[in-house]
Amino acid sequence: LPTFPGGPTATVSQYACQRRTTTENNNKIFTEAFEVLAESYEFNEIEGPCLAFRRAGSVLKSLTFEVRSLGDTQDLPCLGEHTKELIEEILRHGRSFEVEKILSDERYQTLKLFTSVFGVGPKTAEKWYRRGLRSFSDVLTEPSIQLNRMQQTGFLHYEDISRAVSKAEARALGNIIDEAVHAITLDAVIALTGGFRRGKEFGHDVDFIVTTPEPGRERSLLPDVTDRLEQQGILLYCDYQASTFDMSKLPCHRFEAMDHFAKCFLILRLEASKVEGGLNSTEEDSRGWRAVRVDLVSPPMDRYAFALLGWTGSRQFERDLRRFARLERRMLLDNHILYDKTKKEFLAATTEKDIFAHLGLEYIEPWQRNA
Ligand code: CTP
Ligand code: MN
Ligand code: MN
């Protein structure tokens, strides 16, 4: 990637998939401020500026140095007027008035609190806010509110699920899923994906791809796995979504947030004894277990590389991979396929490297995708 002929920032690409972004962020002070603004725009459903701040933050995350003056940013892509003003203010005062105003805003604080519950999205949070609810106890004592099963579980395990999952806990869960999948079929394939595959120390959940080479078998694999977890007494919650994958309906030209593979969003009971070094708990916790969020997705084997690339993230990296494919290559990329619109053909891939090669991109390692 960039050699530095015109200074260290001269060749930074506007696409995250052409940058290498590790978990080391030298510009947290700026990127955290940008994220507050992005979130606030998101709560107000103002998409353009929201994405612009996420894009700007992602550019700063990729830098191997700390921005110390506005001059440091002059050759960088994706930084607009508003972002530069913010950077200048933070450089001068160490903080931003605009960000602090948002952080102390009652609506922002309430939506932030409500959306921190598993099963509560911005729409529901907004609805509760408009009804005058401001706290969890307001919500839980409001007779007219019917929580769905996901939200009930979200409140029930709120403290555990809010606490970050450690690498050691992710490894322990990997062992549990590995054992379960292989007990069901010996030729099972399991891969860690999501943030932990990118080398993150902590995550909000643990993501796995589980499948088998036997065509069609992957459609019933997850119910078998969750049945087994249930028998072991460690399945606290399961939201299973059966596969709706149909190759004959692809390529899909409108944007879809979710892929069509079989998947489940779980909450598992993780015993402290299974975790090397113990559970990630702050206070003295005598229970000896915690609840953890786990996601499983099960693509057919010939879709494995696309699913792995799509589920490894980061979200910004994925967004830019798709945008790059569309705008620079006239191709459609999603979690299922890569489609060449010029040649009107699907491009095959068995590894992530194949997909980068089709796109004419240098390979970016998972731990360099923390955009
Ligand atoms: N993803 C997806 N479809 C979904 C959910 C997630 O394609 N329905 C992808 C996202 O693109 C994301 C990845 O799966 O990059 C992992 O999602 P998530 O667990 O939410 O984020 P992480 O990057 O793993 O971060 P965290 O540590 O907070 O879990
Ligand atoms: Mn994750
Ligand atoms: Mn996840």
Side-chain angles (χ1 to χ4, degrees), residues 128-228:
W128 291 351
Y129 180 79
R130 271 193 277 108
R131 286 207 203 167
L133 310 176
R134 296 293 180 266
S135 66
F136 288 165
S137 75
D138 285 353
V139 172
L140 294 170
T141 57
E142 170 59 48
S144 70
I145 283 188
Q146 272 290 345
L147 297 177
N148 63 31
R149 197 174 64 94
M150 196 185 224
Q151 293 160 348
Q152 286 171 26
T153 316
F155 278 110
L156 186 63
H157 298 292
Y158 183 76
E159 282 208 15
D160 274 5
I161 299 176
S162 313
R163 190 180 311 136
V165 183
S166 71
K167 244 186 197 172
E169 289 169 334
R171 260 195 303 273
L173 288 158
N175 295 336
I176 289 167
I177 302 299
D178 192 79
E179 191 277 332
V181 186
H182 281 102
I184 289 153
T185 167
L186 280 173
D187 59 6
V189 174
I190 166 169
L192 177 68
T193 179
F196 285 107
R197 182 162 184 250
R198 301 197 308 273
K200 278 176 61 177
E201 289 296 327
F202 293 97
H204 97 282
D205 68 359
V206 194
D207 308 280
F208 298 97
I209 295 184
V210 295
T211 187
T212 121
E214 190 188 325
R217 176 69 178 94
E218 79 286 345
R219 284 181 178 255
S220 58
L221 187 58
L222 291 184
D224 290 347
V225 173
T226 53
D227 278 353
R228 193 176 166 86

Side-chain angles (χ1 to χ4, degrees), residues 204-207 265 293-295 311 315:
H204 97 282
D205 68 359
V206 194
D207 308 280
F265 307 106
R293 277 269 302 111
V294 172
D295 288 341
W311 277 75
R315 273 169 209 279

Side-chain angles (χ1 to χ4, degrees), residues 15-184:
Y15 295 107
C17 55
Q18 290 186 304
R19 304 190 294 255
R20 297 178 197 274
T21 312
T22 64
T23 52
E24 187 186 309
N25 178 359
N26 298 298
N27 292 284
K28 255 203 183 123
I29 183 166
F30 306 108
T31 60
E32 279 172 359
F34 292 1
E35 185 50 33
V36 172
L37 273 128
E39 230 170 3
S40 160
Y41 281 118
E42 194 166 39
F43 288 152
N44 294 308
E45 288 176 279
I46 306 172
E47 205 186 353
C50 169
L51 284 178
F53 274 107
R54 294 242 158 90
R55 220 174 256 172
S58 175
V59 167
L60 294 195
K61 280 184 195 170
S62 76
L63 300 179
T64 52
F65 62 91
E66 183 190 328
V67 170
R68 288 174 197 276
S69 73
L70 211 51
D72 284 350
T73 67
Q74 74 177 19
D75 298 321
L76 294 175
C78 311
L79 303 185
E81 272 310 302
H82 196 172
T83 12
K84 293 217 171 174
E85 278 167 29
L86 212 65
I87 292 174
E88 196 166 21
E89 192 187 5
I90 293 170
L91 283 170
R92 194 166 295 162
H93 303 109
R95 56 208 186 103
S96 149
F97 178 71
E98 194 182 358
V99 170
E100 287 184 0
K101 206 173 83 189
I102 293 169
L103 287 175
S104 63
D105 177 65
E106 187 181 34
R107 187 181 128 87
Y108 173 86
Q109 286 179 358
T110 310
L111 295 187
K112 184 92 181 145
L113 178 73
F114 289 168
T115 55
S116 74
V117 179
F118 176 61
V120 180
K123 291 253 150 60
T124 306
E126 169 77 35
K127 199 173 72 192
W128 291 351
Y129 180 79
R130 271 193 277 108
R131 286 207 203 167
L133 310 176
R134 296 293 180 266
S135 66
F136 288 165
S137 75
D138 285 353
V139 172
L140 294 170
T141 57
E142 170 59 48
S144 70
I145 283 188
Q146 272 290 345
L147 297 177
N148 63 31
R149 197 174 64 94
M150 196 185 224
Q151 293 160 348
Q152 286 171 26
T153 316
F155 278 110
L156 186 63
H157 298 292
Y158 183 76
E159 282 208 15
D160 274 5
I161 299 176
S162 313
R163 190 180 311 136
V165 183
S166 71
K167 244 186 197 172
E169 289 169 334
R171 260 195 303 273
L173 288 158
N175 295 336
I176 289 167
I177 302 299
D178 192 79
E179 191 277 332
V181 186
H182 281 102
I184 289 153

